[in-house]
């Protein structure tokens, strides 16, 4: 439980807010490369309540600028992409990706007024299908060396989805390992060969993950602080069949890395659009095989609509809830796509849940540990100290789903990770 004041401190990120100030000190996803794939690579972006325009110039470099022209505020999303920048259609002022004003064509011939204009601009960097931006003060931190960034592009697939609730609710669902036995319960186990590109559809040592999640509902959860955030080990005792170990991670401050299948991991950021909405951005990373991008994209486009990546099942249609389905077929009554289940868990508490009304139990261990980390980092940055846990040295993190022998399971996750890296054409030891 948090006090009302603490809840505001951790959830509010717009304007001059302490949590916004912390999150801005990390590279954050701003858009998918796919969103700028058309003839006119320019899109509107809202981050931390700030209205921005993201564009690609003729050299192929990305710029993220204040959406409103420095002259008289016209909307640069309607700008002309020409002459090495983005030109405002109102009076023709031209801006480059760094926010430098290059031309003011209606001003007198010898005017140097253009040199006085510094349009607000943020640095961008493209990594495996996502354009990341740095919205904080000073120089951006070095980019981390996580697997999802180190992997060659063909071994990755990036996607995003809209969430109609505060960013922290989304992170807290991602670090809650107990819910998978309930919220994502499947009454029947599918053939894992048919589960490509989907979470919880693989099998671990021949046991379908859906079966072991369904049968062992009281996991032991261990949380450990790491160089990149937190490692969460979820242990499910399968008796003679061994110990199921699922290792997931919180990459501080607002991302998770979790196993999706035996070969693939999901690295997922929850980025505030404003305080009532966020986007999840994910890089799906395969250790061994090139990713079937079209198949993964088609699967996700069954739920998400373009251009805003909003889900078809959402708050406005009760997530497609069907009581008859819930009685006879599924745990939630909201279909088979686990993204819908998670969206309901994130969105149904309300846009910004008042955590002074909650009652945390033992399964909420990781959430409690994370909030401590978050509050202390917010306090540190507010006092002028450096933002914690960032930089090029951050690797991995180790993220697996495996079963260890009943009498000797300790450390089995490390062996599983090492074996996977041995088989991988690109992943080095961490
Ligand atoms: S408002 Fe943009 S050039 Fe005048
Ligand atoms: Fe979930």
């Amino acid at each position: 439980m948090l006090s009302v004041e603490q809840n505001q401190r951790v959830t509010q990120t717009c304007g001059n807010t302490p949590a916004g100030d912390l999150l801005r000190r990390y590279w954050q996803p701003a858009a998918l490369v796919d969103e700028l794939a058309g003839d006119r690579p320019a899109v509107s972006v809202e981050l931390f309540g700030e209205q921005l325009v993201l564009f690609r110039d003729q050299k192929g470099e990305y710029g993220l600028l204040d959406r409103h022209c420095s002259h008289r505020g016209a909307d640069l999303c309607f700008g002309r992409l020409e002459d090495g920048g983005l030109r405002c259609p109102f009076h023709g002022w031209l801006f480059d990706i760094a926010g430098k004003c290059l031309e003011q064509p209606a001003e007198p011939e010898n005017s140097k007024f253009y040199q006085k204009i510094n349009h607000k601009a943020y640095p961008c960097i493209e990594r495996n299908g996502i354009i990341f931006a740095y919205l904080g003060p000073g120089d951006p931190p070095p980019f981390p060396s996580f697997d999802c960034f180190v992997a060659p592009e063909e071994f990755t697939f990036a996607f995003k989805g809209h969430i109609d609730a505060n960013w922290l609710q989304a992170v807290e669902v991602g670090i809650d390992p107990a819910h998978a036995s309930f919220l994502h319960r499947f009454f029947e186990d599918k053939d894992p060969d048919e589960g490509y590109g989907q979470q919880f559809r693989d099998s671990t040592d021949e046991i379908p993950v859906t079966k072991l999640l369904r049968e062992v509902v009281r996991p032991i959860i261990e949380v450990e602080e790491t160089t990149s955030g937190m490692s969460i080990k979820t242990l499910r005792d399968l008796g003679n069949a061994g110990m199921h170990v699922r290792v997931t991670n919180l990459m501080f401050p607002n991302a998770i890395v979790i196993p999706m299948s035996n070969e693939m991991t999901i690295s997922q950021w929850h980025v505030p659009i404003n305080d009532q909405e966020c986007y999840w951005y994910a890089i799906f990373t395969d250790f061994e095989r090139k990713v079937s991008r079209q198949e993964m994209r088609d699967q996700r486009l069954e739920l998400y609509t373009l251009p805003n990546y909003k889900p078809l099942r959402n708050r406005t249609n009760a997530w497609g809830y069907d009581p008859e389905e819930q009685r006879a077929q599924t745990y939630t009554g909201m279909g088979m796509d686990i993204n819908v289940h998670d969206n309901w868990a994130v969105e149904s508490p309300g846009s910004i849940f008042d955590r002074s009304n909650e009652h945390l139990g033992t399964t909420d261990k990781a959430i409690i540990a994370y909030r401590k980390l978050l509050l202390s980092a917010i306090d540190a940055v507010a006092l002028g100290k450096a933002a914690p846990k960032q930089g090029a040295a951050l690797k991995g993190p180790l993220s697996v789903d495996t079963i260890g022998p009943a009498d000797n399971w300790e450390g089995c996750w490390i062996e599983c990770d090492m074996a996977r890296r041995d088989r991988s054409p690109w992943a080095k030891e961490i």
Side-chain angles (χ1 to χ4, degrees):
M1 183 175 123
L2 294 180
S3 67
V4 170
E5 293 72 32
Q6 283 174 323
N7 197 46
Q8 278 176 355
R9 197 163 171 82
V10 290
T11 52
Q12 300 196 357
T13 64
C14 298
N16 288 324
T17 48
D21 208 10
L22 173 76
L23 293 179
R24 281 169 177 265
R25 286 166 200 246
Y26 299 79
W27 286 102
Q28 297 287 354
L32 294 174
V33 172
D34 281 353
E35 293 177 75
L36 287 101
D39 294 343
R40 192 178 162 275
V43 288
S44 64
V45 165
E46 185 179 353
L47 279 169
F48 307 112
E50 217 175 309
Q51 305 298 322
L52 304 161
V53 56
L54 175 67
F55 71 101
R56 190 171 60 238
D57 71 10
Q58 285 139 317
K59 284 196 241 145
E61 287 173 7
Y62 292 101
L64 183 64
L65 307 184
D66 187 330
R67 183 166 172 170
H68 296 287
C69 180
S70 281
H71 180 211
R72 282 170 50 205
D75 187 348
L76 291 175
C77 287
F78 296 89
R80 299 173 63 87
L81 286 166
E82 60 189 22
D83 302 323
L86 182 64
R87 191 186 291 282
C88 178
F90 199 173
H91 311 91
W93 288 23
L94 176 69
F95 302 96
D96 72 6
I97 57 164
K100 218 157 66 173
C101 183
L102 304 175
E103 289 176 15
Q104 293 168 327
E107 291 297 305
E109 192 106 39
N110 300 323
S111 166
K112 297 272 183 266
F113 178 42
Y114 71 95
Q115 294 176 354
K116 296 208 171 99
I117 305 297
N118 283 315
H119 191 72
K120 195 195 281 171
Y122 297 114
C124 297
I125 197 166
E126 179 190 334
R127 284 286 188 280
N128 281 344
I130 296 181
I131 300 152
F132 288 82
Y134 179 72
L135 282 77
D139 290 333
F143 215 80
S145 309
F146 295 129
D147 289 324
C148 62
F149 301 135
V150 172
E153 200 171 0
E154 321 83 83
F155 290 78
T156 66
F157 165 70
F159 203 75
K160 73 188 243 185
H162 182 266
I163 294 177
D164 192 14
N166 183 263
W167 72 281
L168 187 58
Q169 278 156 239
V171 176
E172 290 186 349
V173 167
I175 55 172
D176 165 15
H179 81 261
S181 287
F182 302 93
L183 186 70
H184 305 311
R185 183 172 299 183
F186 290 96
F187 296 109
E188 283 171 18
D189 307 310
K190 271 210 298 199
D191 180 352
D193 291 343
E194 290 168 21
Y196 182 80
Q198 295 164 56
Q199 207 185 346
F200 298 132
R201 282 306 195 184
D202 215 334
S203 56
T204 309
D205 289 359
E206 310 294 313
I207 305 179
V209 172
T210 40
K211 177 172 157 66
L212 59 89
L213 288 175
R214 190 171 61 232
E215 291 183 355
V216 185
V217 299
R218 280 199 185 89
I220 296 166
I221 300 168
E222 293 178 356
V223 180
E224 187 189 341
E225 206 175 310
T226 65
T227 50
S228 54
M230 281 169 20
S231 163
I232 304 159
K233 291 188 188 72
T234 307
L235 309 168
R236 284 182 166 86
D237 192 343
L238 308 175
N240 291 339
M243 182 68 85
H244 177 248
V245 186
R246 185 172 161 83
V247 185
T248 56
N249 302 270
L250 180 280
M251 271 191 314
F252 195 80
N254 58 329
I256 56 170
V257 182
I258 59 176
M260 185 170 91
S261 60
N262 294 332
E263 289 179 4
M264 241 191 252
T265 59
I266 312 176
S267 306
Q268 187 174 48
W269 290 256
H270 293 291
V271 193
I273 298 170
N274 48 50
D275 289 337
Q276 286 78 30
E277 298 165 89
C278 63
Y279 272 119
W280 62 260
Y281 281 85
I283 301 179
F284 301 81
T285 309
D286 198 307
F287 281 88
E288 294 176 44
R289 287 183 297 172
K290 293 183 181 171
V291 173
S292 258
R293 288 210 180 139
Q294 196 56 48
E295 186 177 349
M296 290 194 65
R297 192 175 153 78
D298 290 347
Q299 283 170 352
R300 280 149 190 83
L301 287 175
E302 283 177 22
L303 175 62
Y304 291 97
T305 55
L306 300 180
N308 295 322
Y309 293 81
K310 293 203 169 171
L312 286 167
R313 289 169 177 245
N314 55 51
R315 195 193 290 289
T316 64
N317 55 20
W319 300 272
Y321 175 64
D322 175 353
E324 181 50 29
E325 178 196 307
Q326 188 177 39
R327 195 188 60 74
Q329 286 178 52
T330 66
Y331 202 77
T332 58
M334 294 174 196
M336 305 302 273
D337 187 333
I338 73 159
N339 286 290
V340 178
H341 312 160
D342 281 331
N343 282 355
W344 168 81
V346 174
E347 295 172 344
S348 69
S351 292
I352 306 180
F353 177 58
D354 177 359
R355 290 170 178 75
S356 70
N357 285 328
E358 68 188 1
H359 300 85
L360 298 183
T362 42
T363 61
D364 302 307
K365 214 178 200 176
I367 292 167
I368 295 166
Y370 168 60
R371 288 185 193 165
K372 267 195 199 143
L373 267 183
L374 184 61
L375 278 164
S376 93
I378 288 172
D379 290 346
V381 168
L383 290 170
K385 297 185 191 153
K389 299 183 189 293
Q390 48 185 346
L394 300 181
K395 294 202 175 104
L398 188 155
S399 166
V400 294
D401 207 318
T402 187
I403 295 177
D407 53 352
N408 185 25
W409 53 269
E410 293 277 353
C412 65
W413 56 89
I414 297 171
E415 280 162 36
C416 174
D417 183 66
M418 277 167 57
R420 183 167 65 180
R421 284 172 198 279
D422 276 351
R423 293 193 300 270
S424 170
W426 60 266
K428 293 192 200 72
E429 226 173 88
I430 53 168

